[in-house]
Amino acid sequence: MSNQSSLQIGQIVKILKGKDAGQIAIIVSVEDSRFVYIADGDKRKFDQRKKKNLLHLEPQPFVSSEVVDSLNESGRVTNGKLRFAVLKFMKSTESKTEERGD
């Protein structure tokens, strides 16, 4: 489980368990070695962020610099920035899929 320890704020994750399974979200804070808080800016707003067990998340190799900068500057991030980061990630994965011809 070495990939679990590399999770950081602003990283995109895929939710594996729960009612939001299959959706994409962003880590907005780290609780401890087992739990993080996630939000996507759409169904799960920053003010209503969800506490998730790391075992229920699949980290993606993408970190949103806009989200990280905003959280470092003000301790908050707008829901618009969260939605933008998720959309940017989705478009980047779509283009990689098209390049492979899948």
Side-chain angles (χ1 to χ4, degrees):
M1 297 277 173
S2 62
N3 63 346
Q4 302 292 331
S5 61
S6 65
L7 291 173
Q8 58 185 348
I9 291 175
Q11 185 167 7
I12 302 283
V13 293
K14 182 176 181 182
I15 303 169
L16 300 175
K17 302 277 185 181
K19 68 175 186 173
D20 298 330
Q23 295 183 1
I24 301 295
I26 301 173
I27 296 175
V28 292
S29 67
V30 177
E31 173 80 9
D32 56 28
S33 63
R34 286 190 54 210
F35 294 98
V36 295
Y37 285 94
I38 60 170
D40 66 5
D42 186 22
K43 292 182 179 76
R44 181 68 62 185
K45 307 280 194 231
F46 178 77
D47 292 329
Q48 304 292 315
R49 56 191 177 257
K50 174 77 176 159
K51 185 177 183 179
K52 286 296 265 186
N53 188 324
L54 294 178
L55 298 175
H56 298 171
L57 300 173
E58 179 184 325
Q60 304 296 313
F62 185 89
V63 177
S64 172
S65 58
E66 294 93 354
V67 172
V68 174
D69 292 343
S70 181
L71 285 167
N72 286 338
E73 289 172 14
S74 65
R76 296 185 53 81
V77 64
T78 64
N79 292 314
K81 281 186 184 174
L82 291 171
R83 287 190 301 269
F84 174 76
V86 169
L87 188 64
K88 189 172 161 183
F89 170 74
M90 298 293 266
K91 286 190 179 197
S92 73
T93 56
E94 281 177 15
S95 64
K96 288 178 186 170
T97 304
E98 289 172 9
E99 288 171 10
R100 288 195 318 238
D102 290 344

